[in-house]
């Protein structure tokens, strides 16, 4: 007998933890984190969580804003689920101890891009994700049926007779551990590391999407990667996120001459949809000289009535380490890969196209964000669809119950860490892949460049696969093979969508085309890209 649990949850961010709390009522749960439990995109989410706590009219407006930001591609039943389930899920979170910022006892709300009113709750100023993660982890640790396992990643899914029945996990000492489960949830988050410029932490390598692709599941909307407009742009410094809430509190975007320029790009100025602001920054930076872009800045020096250090303590502390202050300096910014709208295709209850396999949160593609996610809808997505997926997993799977116990059974040697030569070659492949994706599948795309990029991605994927055949690569090798796999799906989907919509902008097809309205790309490794309308199959 191998190690068995009722439910296996891969990923310990907001979606995985929220799912685990429902699953634990019905069976044993193993939650697997690739590094220490808190290390996920959730932890770094600053600005907040968008939620309509003010009744039906408020919910209807939240829906309208989500649809508008998504640029004609939001699958509206998914957006309805998001905004309608949202208030209940946030109430529940507060009952579990999440502390959102309040003034005179009332929840404080801020505004971000493309929101028609302030509805974004925040915690400790700009540490919303960290606080939500803390509350969910504390609640999960109280459950004796939830086991949290750190420093492991899934190497592959186990598929028997077309059904996913668990996964082989790789630990950091090179051992593999087979875990059988009645249902497996992918909650592995995003894939920002596929790009050379990203706000995402090192763990965000698209593992869940790669696992699903390898097992034969459908992925969808892979051409839609969101670029956050304002990551810190200092040479040699990571692309630290500068929350959209800064603009919600009055930050302006200015060029090197100090001119505010957003009026030339969108009537909502700095609070236009995220894809519009990101492209405007790039265009403005290249407006005088295409080959020698000027620096663009966030400028809060004219903001009055807000104590910026108190309102944004995390951002202020990071900037101070680099000699910058929100109140006194212009802050250099540029866009960076931030959030994946595409992912493993699911229904509204997290069911993928493989039985026994579910997905929720950033790894999933429900169609809820369409072509461009509304700011701060991602934490809400994790809560709402984490809970929905868990309910489906319970409903679909015959259950056993009891405590998680027994020892891991190690299966075989597993991967050991790569030798030095292989490590260097793997790192080199990943660097080339990341630069290629940024160059060819970044904010501004064009057919010939994408075709060259797709060829390069395929060549790198081939190099990695042949290395895998003869050498072992530990976590780094596993991640690299997965990233190349995801990148191939992204490249094929981006080439197939011959229009511009939301985050996918092609200079060779610069406008939206009616034939692509409400049409999603779906990709499998066996078939390639096909087009479909969600809800009609
Ligand atoms: C931010 O604080 O700007 C990020 C929030 C989000 O990704 O929606």
């Amino acid at each position: 007998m191998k190690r068995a649990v009722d439910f296996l949850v891969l990923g310990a961010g907001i979606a995985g933890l929220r799912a685990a709390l429902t699953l634990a009522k019905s069976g044993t749960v193993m939650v697997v984190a690739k590094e220490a439990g808190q290390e996920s995109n959730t932890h770094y989410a600053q600005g907040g969580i968008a939620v309509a706590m003010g009744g039906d009219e408020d919910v209807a407006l939240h829906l309208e804003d989500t649809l508008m930001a998504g640029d004609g591609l939001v699958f509206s039943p998914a957006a309805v689920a998001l905004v309608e389930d949202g208030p209940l899920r946030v109430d529940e979170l507060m009952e579990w101890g999440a502390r959102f910022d309040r003034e005179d006892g009332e929840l404080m709300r801020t505004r971000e891009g493309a929101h028609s009113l302030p509805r974004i709750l925040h915690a400790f100023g700009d540490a919303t994700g960290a606080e939500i993660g803390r509350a969910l982890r504390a609640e999960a640790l109280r459950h004796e049926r939830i086991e949290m396992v750190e420093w492991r990643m899934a190497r592959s899914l186990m598929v028997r007779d077309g059904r996913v029945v668990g996964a082989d996990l790789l630990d950091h000492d090179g051992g593999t551990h087979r875990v059988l489960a009645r249902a497996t949830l992918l909650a592995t988050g995003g894939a920002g590391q596929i790009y050379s410029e990203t706000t995402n932490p090192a763990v965000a390598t698209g593992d869940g999407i790669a696992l699903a692709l390898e097992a034969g599941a459908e992925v969808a909307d892979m051409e839609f990667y969101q670029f956050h407009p304002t990551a810190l742009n200092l040479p040699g410094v990571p692309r630290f996120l500068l929350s959209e809430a800064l603009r919600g509190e009055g930050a302006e975007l200015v060029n090197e001459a100090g001119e505010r320029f957003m009026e030339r790009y969108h009537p909502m100025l700095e609070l236009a949809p995220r894809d519009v602001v990101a492209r405007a920054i790039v265009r403005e930076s290249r407006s005088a000289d295409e080959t020698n872009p000027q620096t663009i800045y966030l400028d809060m020096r004219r903001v009055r009535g807000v104590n910026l250090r108190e309102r944004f303590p995390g951002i202020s502390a990071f900037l101070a380490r680099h000699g910058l202050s929100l109140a006194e300096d212009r802050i250099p910014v540029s866009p960076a890969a931030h959030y994946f709208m595409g992912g493993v295709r699911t229904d509204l209850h997290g069911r993928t196209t493989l039985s026994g396999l579910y997905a929720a949160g950033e790894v999933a593609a429900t169609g809820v964000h369409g072509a461009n996610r509304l700011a701060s809808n991602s934490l809400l997505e994790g809560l709402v669809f984490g809970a929905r997926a868990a309910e489906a997993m319970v409903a679909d799977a015959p259950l056993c119950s009891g405590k998680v116990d027994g020892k891991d059974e190690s299966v075989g040697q597993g991967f050991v860490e790569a030798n030095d030569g292989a490590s260097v070659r793997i790192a080199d492949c990943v660097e080339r892949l990341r630069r290629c994706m940024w160059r060819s599948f970044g904010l501004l795309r064009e057919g010939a460049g994408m075709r060259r990029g797709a060829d390069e991605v395929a060549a790198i994927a081939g190099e990695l696969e042949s290395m895998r055949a003869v050498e072992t690569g530990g976590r780094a090798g596993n991640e690299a093979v997965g990233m190349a796999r995801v990148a191939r799906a992204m490249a094929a989907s981006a080439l197939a969508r011959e229009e511009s919509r939301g985050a996918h902008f092609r200079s060779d097809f610069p406008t939206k085309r009616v034939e692509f309205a409400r049409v999603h790309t779906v990709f499998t490794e066996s078939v390639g890209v096909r087009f479909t309308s969600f809800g009609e199959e």
Side-chain angles (χ1 to χ4, degrees):
M1 264 293 280
K2 307 291 178 217
R3 176 76 192 279
V5 294
D6 288 314
F7 303 111
L8 178 60
V9 176
L10 301 174
I14 188 167
L17 290 171
R18 178 60 194 81
L21 290 169
T22 291
L23 294 170
K25 293 181 193 154
S26 302
T28 56
V29 187
M30 182 189 282
V31 179
V32 181
K34 190 156 71 169
E35 291 190 1
Q38 76 277 3
E39 191 61 13
S40 65
N41 267 343
T42 297
H43 181 74
Y44 295 95
Q46 297 174 350
I49 181 163
V51 63
M53 305 291 272
D56 289 352
E57 207 173 310
D58 205 8
V59 168
L61 272 178
H62 190 187
L63 177 64
E64 212 172 276
D65 292 348
T66 300
L67 296 176
M68 196 277 284
D71 209 5
L73 200 69
V74 173
F75 180 47
S76 51
V80 169
L82 179 82
V83 298
E84 289 189 349
D85 292 6
L88 165 71
R89 295 299 167 217
V90 171
D91 275 339
E92 194 176 63
L93 197 56
M94 289 192 277
E95 277 162 32
W96 291 329
R99 296 158 295 179
F100 292 108
D101 295 333
R102 290 175 184 267
E103 198 168 48
D104 303 327
E106 289 296 310
L107 286 167
M108 293 171 77
R109 294 175 170 83
T110 193
R111 193 169 166 198
E112 291 180 1
H115 286 270
S116 52
L117 47 81
R119 65 164 71 88
I120 293 149
L121 310 185
H122 44 86
F124 298 93
D126 54 10
T128 314
E131 170 60 8
I132 292 175
R134 181 206 62 75
L136 287 172
R137 266 192 311 283
E139 189 64 18
L141 289 171
R142 282 195 270 274
H143 270 270
E144 64 164 9
R145 291 206 285 198
I146 299 179
E147 178 187 16
M148 309 276 278
V149 175
E150 298 183 329
W151 296 98
R152 282 192 194 167
M153 73 178 289
R155 189 184 63 172
S156 54
L157 296 172
M158 282 191 292
V159 187
R160 302 268 184 278
D161 302 324
R163 181 179 174 82
V164 173
V165 293
D168 281 340
L169 308 181
L170 175 68
D171 71 26
H172 59 118
D173 293 328
T176 53
H177 307 259
R178 179 154 292 177
V179 182
L180 297 170
R182 292 164 193 276
T184 300
L185 176 68
L186 300 172
T188 47
Q193 288 296 328
I194 281 180
Y195 287 101
S196 55
E197 310 295 321
T198 181
T199 60
N200 288 188
V203 290
T205 49
D207 308 338
I209 302 174
L211 289 168
L213 278 168
E214 186 174 34
E218 288 185 351
V219 299
D221 292 340
M222 296 289 282
E223 64 275 36
F224 294 109
Y225 214 101
Q226 180 168 75
F227 300 91
H228 196 288
T230 57
L232 181 63
N233 180 15
L234 283 180
V237 176
R239 292 283 171 262
F240 181 75
L241 178 66
L242 294 167
S243 175
E244 195 147 330
L246 296 167
R247 280 173 280 137
E249 301 288 351
E252 295 171 352
L253 286 164
V254 298
N255 58 23
E256 280 182 5
E259 291 160 357
R260 207 173 161 191
F261 57 82
M262 274 309 296
E263 68 194 20
R264 291 201 285 278
Y265 297 93
H266 198 279
M268 291 178 84
L269 307 177
E270 282 83 358
L271 292 179
R274 203 169 263 187
D275 58 321
V276 174
V277 181
R279 277 194 298 276
I281 287 175
V282 172
R283 289 194 171 122
E284 184 67 18
S285 72
R286 295 180 185 171
S287 57
D289 181 349
E290 180 77 20
T291 55
N292 185 22
Q294 62 171 313
T295 305
I296 301 298
Y297 299 91
L298 258 187
D299 192 346
M300 297 197 85
R301 292 174 303 171
R302 281 189 288 271
V303 173
R304 297 284 171 265
V306 186
N307 180 328
L308 295 174
R309 247 191 305 211
E310 274 177 20
R311 175 67 183 85
F312 299 107
I315 293 173
S316 298
F318 190 91
L319 292 177
R321 290 205 284 281
H322 298 282
L324 292 170
S325 142
L326 287 173
E328 287 159 27
D329 297 300
R330 301 185 306 178
I331 314 295
V333 293
S334 62
H338 182 62
Y339 178 90
F340 210 168
M341 272 78 71
V344 183
R345 185 181 179 190
T346 72
D347 68 7
L348 299 185
H349 306 277
R351 294 184 184 95
T352 72
T353 52
L354 291 182
S355 80
L357 185 67
Y358 300 76
E362 188 173 348
V363 70
T366 54
V368 67
H369 306 302
N372 175 54
R373 173 172 66 77
L374 182 67
S376 285
N377 265 357
S378 55
L379 290 173
L380 192 68
E381 172 192 26
L383 279 185
V384 164
F385 289 99
R388 284 178 156 251
E391 283 161 8
M393 290 164 78
V394 169
D396 295 349
L399 299 173
C400 65
S401 60
K403 262 177 73 163
V404 177
D405 56 15
K407 279 212 164 98
D408 281 351
E409 183 167 342
S410 184
V411 286
Q413 167 65 34
F415 287 135
V416 292
E417 275 309 317
N419 61 41
D420 287 350
S423 290
V424 169
R425 285 203 300 282
I426 290 165
D428 174 65
C429 283
V430 169
E431 270 322 296
R432 281 188 283 134
L433 181 76
R434 301 177 76 215
R435 283 199 302 272
C436 168
M437 289 302 287
W438 183 251
R439 194 172 54 243
S440 304
F441 299 96
L443 266 103
L444 305 179
R445 306 168 173 187
E446 166 272 325
M450 288 198 292
R451 278 188 287 281
R452 277 195 302 277
D455 289 345
E456 194 177 339
V457 167
I460 295 168
E463 276 180 60
L464 285 164
E465 281 298 344
S466 57
M467 252 191 264
R468 176 150 97 162
V470 292
E471 311 196 55
T472 55
R475 167 178 160 181
N478 214 48
E479 284 179 345
V481 169
M483 286 161 80
R485 182 164 240 142
V486 174
R488 290 185 82 162
M490 292 166 77
S493 308
L495 277 162
R497 183 173 284 278
E498 295 187 329
E499 66 158 355
S500 290
R501 185 181 295 276
H504 174 67
F505 182 87
R506 291 182 65 153
S507 57
D508 50 345
F509 293 98
T511 55
K512 278 199 279 279
R513 293 171 64 192
V514 280
E515 54 270 49
F516 284 102
R518 284 186 290 283
V519 170
H520 299 258
T521 55
V522 167
F523 177 93
T524 53
E525 291 191 340
S526 53
V527 173
V529 179
R530 66 185 177 85
F531 295 102
T532 189
S533 293
F534 282 5
E536 285 180 10
E537 291 184 326

